[in-house]
């Protein structure tokens, strides 16, 4: 087996990486709606290749996380069916965390507090404590569908100490 190589695709607008991602999603039957795929391809983060074949994708969508009253980088990942027993998704966590944390440090105006993920794979959600990969994703709760919600705050981020801020005020602040 060829070794796996991680490629940084975050905000690169690289036509080859985007074409590879679109072909991957089509091959894995992951995005039946092409408009969803066209939008998601702009959120590529780390791609995993085995030789020339794309075998796993992570995407990041930065958005407000109302539960924590901060803006987070929401991680999504998908591994090709043939590679799912190799813990590839877990091994991609640390490179994604490092990439997005570095971005947050160099773009403080975006005010990104950390990394978040909704874990839908039973293989990934076996421990409530942080994953052993260094991404530090800690279980904080569940979705209404029973999927785990995990977060990891960036080391540099400081939560504003405005204890009197209402939820409505926080929503306005994190939308900006």
């Amino acid at each position: 087996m060829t070794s796996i190589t991680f490629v940084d695709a975050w905000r690169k607008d690289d036509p080859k990486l985007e074409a590879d991602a679109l072909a991957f999603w089509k091959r894995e039957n992951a995005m039946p709606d092409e408009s969803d795929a066209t939008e998601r391809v702009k959120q590529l983060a780390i791609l995993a290749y085995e030789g020339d074949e794309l075998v796993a994708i992570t995407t990041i969508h930065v958005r407000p996380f109302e539960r924590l009253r901060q803006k987070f980088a929401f991680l999504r990942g998908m591994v090709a069916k043939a590679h799912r027993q190799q813990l590839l998704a877990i091994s991609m966590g640390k490179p994604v965390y490092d990439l997005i944390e570095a971005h947050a440090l160099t773009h403080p105006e975006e005010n990104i507090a950390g990394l978040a993920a909704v874990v839908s794979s039973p293989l990934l959600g076996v421990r409530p404590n942080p994953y052993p990969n260094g991404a530090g994703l800690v279980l904080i709760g569940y979705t209404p569908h029973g999927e785990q919600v995990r977060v990891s705050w960036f080391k540099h981020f400081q939560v504003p100490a405005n204890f009197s801020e209402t939820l409505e005020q926080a929503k306005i602040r994190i939308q900006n």
Side-chain angles (χ1 to χ4, degrees):
M1 175 180 353
T2 311
S3 66
I4 302 292
T5 304
F6 293 148
V7 175
D8 170 6
W10 177 245
R11 296 188 176 173
K12 298 284 193 243
D13 293 321
D14 184 308
K16 182 200 177 310
L17 298 177
E18 291 177 6
D20 286 353
L22 291 169
F24 173 85
W25 286 324
K26 186 173 186 172
R27 182 179 76 232
E28 295 293 323
N29 200 25
M31 296 267 204
D33 185 348
E34 285 189 30
S35 64
D36 289 344
T38 303
E39 183 179 316
R40 179 94 50 93
V41 81
K42 297 301 179 190
Q43 301 171 356
L44 294 175
I46 298 288
L47 306 181
Y49 285 86
E50 182 177 52
D52 291 333
E53 180 186 3
L54 182 58
V55 296
I57 292 179
T58 60
T59 60
I60 292 291
H61 180 199
V62 177
R63 66 178 178 83
F65 188 9
E66 290 183 13
R67 184 185 297 182
L68 296 178
R69 298 183 182 190
Q70 302 300 326
K71 197 181 297 182
F72 274 78
F74 277 80
L75 168 66
R76 286 189 202 151
M78 181 176 186
V79 177
K81 286 180 185 86
H83 291 80
R84 289 199 180 144
Q85 301 303 316
Q86 301 174 12
L87 301 176
L88 189 50
I90 290 176
S91 68
M92 294 175 80
K94 175 86 168 113
V96 171
Y97 178 92
D98 291 346
L99 174 70
I100 302 304
E101 182 181 40
H103 174 82
L105 279 165
T106 58
H107 295 86
E109 72 281 1
E110 290 190 42
N111 206 28
I112 303 170
L115 194 62
V118 174
V119 179
S120 57
S121 170
L123 295 174
L124 298 179
V126 295
R127 290 190 165 88
N129 58 320
Y131 292 150
N133 64 2
L137 292 166
V138 177
L139 178 66
I140 64 161
Y142 295 87
T143 69
H145 304 292
E147 300 164 313
Q148 293 184 8
V149 179
R150 291 178 172 261
V151 300
S152 182
W153 294 85
F154 292 142
K155 294 171 200 72
H156 72 275
F157 188 80
Q158 294 184 1
V159 177
N162 184 355
F163 297 114
S164 63
E165 182 178 65
T166 67
L167 180 57
E168 304 318 318
Q169 291 168 326
K171 286 179 183 178
I172 292 167
R173 177 179 49 76
I174 63 177
Q175 290 296 331
N176 297 324

